[in-house]
Amino acid sequence: MEYSLQNIILEIHNQEEKILSQGKRFIDEAYEMTLYLQNLIFSVKKLITEQGFSNDAEEIHFFRTIKPQILGKLIYYNKVYRIETSCPVNNGEMYYGYFSTQLANLKREYIEHICNSDFYRYYQSGRTDKDGIFFKRGNINYHDGLNSIVFEIDPEFSTFFDFKVARIISNELLYTYLLTKINPEENPDMIIQKLENSKDIFWTDSKNALIELVYALYASGAISHGKIGIRKVSLLFQVLFRVPLGDLHHAFHRMKTRAGSRTSFLDQLKLSLEEYMDKDL
């Protein structure tokens, strides 16, 4: 098949970077990404319909990993657009109350429909022994009392459980988004907007490169003996270089699954430093 997990993640990331570079409002970014992801999933569906899968392993891989990445982001951006178009216009009490309510709703939905399910525990544990049941088409068991959404899915392009994985992905993204709305001290965008000094200090490489550096410093325990979380480490760099890094969790996931070196920026740093050292010899 033409699509692989690495290609899909890279394609979505490139589109996010392209839209972000245009300096548009987040509400406009969410709208454009919703349209883009909707078209992408239609294209992938057309490819699956025309070419099918060469074997069971390919089908399982698609419905466990590839499709949920697209659908999860689509659900996320569509929800963000709906939230942003309905929120109060200022940062006052109503504004924070609105986003606190959204977060409470998300947590309630998570408790009622996701975290207490056997499938959630199966997926989060990394098990694969039942993938042939969960991620192959035609295996839906209606005796399990499944959510009514099962009657609306296309059985040729869904196993129902791929939708559940997409919901897990979208919920994680929404949780991070809502936290930054109700905790302004952890929202890099708001801090960056308030900074007036150090405008001559800015990051000139890609955001992926900075995220790679942030995770390396966090994983090594080089900052505060490793006693502060990844969010605070990233916030330091976002404020210093005046650049929002967005969703760290999924950026890190992209790093782990990208083709070639998973530490390309750190590799280049080492090479650059060694070349610089050689100049003094």
Side-chain angles (χ1 to χ4, degrees):
M1 278 175 52
E2 177 183 349
Y3 288 103
S4 68
L5 178 60
Q6 288 83 2
N7 290 340
I8 285 293
I9 292 175
L10 180 61
E11 188 172 334
I12 294 174
H13 174 66
N14 287 342
Q15 184 66 19
E16 289 174 323
E17 288 286 317
K18 177 182 176 182
I19 294 176
L20 185 63
S21 67
Q22 297 171 355
K24 296 183 178 180
R25 298 178 305 163
F26 190 42
I27 188 172
D28 297 321
E29 294 175 15
Y31 176 72
E32 290 194 25
M33 282 303 301
T34 299
L35 296 181
Y36 164 77
L37 290 164
Q38 186 178 38
N39 289 332
L40 177 60
I41 204 164
F42 283 158
S43 298
V44 173
K45 180 178 181 180
K46 184 175 184 293
L47 181 67
I48 296 302
T49 302
E50 294 176 352
Q51 298 186 11
F53 300 101
S54 59
N55 51 53
D56 288 350
E58 189 175 77
E59 179 177 0
I60 290 170
H61 175 67
F62 175 80
F63 286 112
R64 180 181 174 114
T65 60
I66 297 179
K67 183 187 172 187
Q69 283 293 330
I70 309 172
L71 185 57
K73 285 267 187 169
L74 176 57
I75 295 171
Y76 163 68
Y77 277 113
N78 182 58
K79 181 65 174 179
V80 166
Y81 180 74
R82 291 171 56 192
I83 291 174
E84 291 281 341
T85 53
S86 302
C87 76
V89 295
N90 58 51
N91 292 331
E93 185 176 337
M94 287 183 59
Y95 178 91
Y96 294 112
Y98 172 79
F99 283 104
S100 295
T101 299
Q102 294 292 330
L103 182 60
N105 292 340
L106 183 69
K107 289 180 177 178
R108 182 170 58 251
E109 178 183 324
Y110 171 78
I111 292 172
E112 293 178 356
H113 301 293
I114 296 181
C115 73
N116 290 324
S117 69
D118 291 336
F119 174 76
Y120 179 77
R121 289 186 285 272
Y122 170 87
Y123 177 76
Q124 290 295 84
S125 69
R127 288 171 54 189
T128 60
D129 52 290
K130 293 185 179 181
D131 279 6
I133 299 174
F134 292 137
F135 301 110
K136 273 183 58 61
R137 293 165 297 179
N139 290 333
I140 296 176
N141 186 355
Y142 296 96
H143 290 293
D144 290 340
L146 301 175
N147 191 292
S148 59
I149 189 68
V150 71
F151 301 110
E152 302 176 24
I153 66 174
D154 182 349
E156 295 300 314
F157 191 61
S158 181
T159 70
F160 175 62
F161 289 95
D162 59 273
F163 172 75
K164 294 178 81 68
V165 175
R167 283 281 298 278
I168 293 171
I169 292 172
S170 66
N171 271 44
E172 290 178 352
L173 291 169
L174 284 167
Y175 182 73
T176 300
Y177 157 74
L178 290 172
L179 276 182
T180 61
K181 288 292 187 178
I182 63 177
N183 294 310
E185 70 277 7
E186 295 188 16
N187 188 341
D189 289 329
M190 296 183 68
I191 296 174
I192 290 169
Q193 290 171 8
K194 294 178 181 178
L195 290 177
E196 295 296 333
N197 301 319
S198 303
K199 292 184 179 180
D200 57 331
I201 302 176
F202 51 92
W203 185 257
T204 54
D205 211 306
S206 70
K207 289 187 178 182
N208 273 348
L210 184 54
I211 291 173
E212 190 176 320
L213 177 61
V214 166
Y215 265 98
L217 292 171
Y218 168 72
S220 68
I223 299 178
S224 300
H225 302 290
K227 294 181 179 180
I228 62 173
I230 186 64
R231 285 170 59 82
K232 288 189 177 180
V233 176
S234 70
L235 183 60
L236 292 173
F237 285 88
Q238 293 179 77
V239 172
L240 174 63
F241 295 119
R242 306 172 62 82
V243 54
L245 293 179
D247 179 13
L248 289 175
H249 174 75
H250 280 74
F252 183 62
H253 178 73
R254 290 192 294 267
M255 287 167 53
K256 293 195 297 182
T257 57
R258 66 189 177 193
S261 173
R262 298 189 297 176
T263 56
S264 57
F265 179 65
L266 296 180
D267 297 342
Q268 183 58 49
L269 273 185
K270 181 176 181 294
L271 179 61
S272 299
L273 179 56
E274 289 176 341
E275 290 178 348
Y276 185 76
M277 289 176 171
D278 292 339
K279 292 179 181 179
D280 295 333
L281 296 179

